[in-house]
Every structure is written in C-alpha cells, then in structure tokens.
C-alpha cells in the first residue's frame, strides 16, 4: 500500500487565487480513479524554499490517496498535467509506503 500526497498551490505566480473549480476537478478525477481521497484544505500549509538566494513561499493544500500498486508513470504524467493546469514550474507529488494497521 502507498500513500500519495499531492501539494497544490493556492495562488498563481501573480498572487491570484485559483478558482474552486480547479480543485473540484482534481477531487473528481482522483475519486473516480482511486475510489476516494482526503483533502487538507482548511488550514493551508506553507511551503518554503530557497531560489537564487531568496526564500520563496507557497500556501498549499494537500490531497491524498491510498493505492495498492504504485504506477509511477501515471503519476508522472498526472503531475505534468497539474503543472500545466496550475501554471507551475513544479508540483510535488510524493509517495510513501504505508502499513494499514
């Protein structure tokens, strides 16, 4: 079993919020494909990173799904789709093995 986490930005590069329809589309896609998801949207997380000596920041929401088998190729393609949809240089999708107790 794997836990897949998708970190999605709340704002575009100009500081404008993304419309709820984008997140709704992602929720529908993941729910249809994987049978459900968990979305952490109430208290946005902050992502920080260094870029050219400056600290950059993103407010993000996290979507999670659990899968039996990890299809890395599908997730790579989906990440590229999300990067285009959300107009981002990079969106983080990470996977970790989990044991359900």
């Amino acid at each position: 079993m794997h836990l897949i986490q998708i970190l999605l930005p709340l704002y575009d590069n100009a500081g404008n919020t993304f419309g709820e329809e984008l997140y709704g589309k992602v929720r529908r896609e993941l729910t249809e494909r994987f049978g459900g998801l968990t979305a952490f949207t109430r208290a946005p997380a902050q992502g920080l990173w260094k870029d050219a000596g400056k600290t950059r920041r993103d407010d993000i929401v996290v979507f999670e799904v659990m899968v039996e088998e990890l299809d890395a190729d599908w997730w790579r393609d989906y990440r590229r789709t999300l990067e285009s949809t959300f107009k981002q240089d990079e969106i983080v999708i990470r996977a970790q093995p989990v044991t359900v107790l």
Side-chain angles (χ1 to χ4, degrees):
M1 179 80 56
H2 290 83
L3 175 67
I4 311 294
Q5 296 177 314
I6 305 167
L7 285 58
L8 295 174
L10 289 179
Y11 306 100
D12 66 17
N13 292 329
N16 302 308
T17 59
F18 291 108
E20 177 56 35
E21 66 276 355
L22 291 182
Y23 303 102
K25 181 176 185 274
V26 173
R27 279 193 294 272
R28 284 188 302 280
E29 290 170 346
L30 295 174
T31 300
E32 285 177 21
R33 183 169 181 96
F34 300 106
L37 74 97
T38 301
F40 297 93
T41 59
R42 296 216 182 252
Q46 287 186 347
L48 300 170
W49 71 98
K50 290 281 190 182
D51 181 26
K54 289 182 169 180
T55 300
R56 305 256 182 204
R57 181 183 137 226
D58 262 340
D59 289 335
I60 59 173
V61 295
V62 179
F63 286 10
E64 294 182 344
V65 296
M66 292 180 63
V67 298
E68 288 289 334
E69 298 293 325
L70 180 62
D71 184 347
D73 291 332
W74 185 89
W75 284 105
R76 230 176 266 110
D77 290 342
Y78 192 61
R79 177 182 48 82
R80 289 183 191 115
T81 298
L82 292 175
E83 287 168 348
S84 176
T85 299
F86 286 88
K87 299 175 180 71
Q88 298 295 299
D89 293 333
E90 183 177 29
I91 284 184
V92 173
I93 297 179
R94 58 190 179 201
Q96 14 180 310
V98 296
T99 302
V100 177
L101 303 173

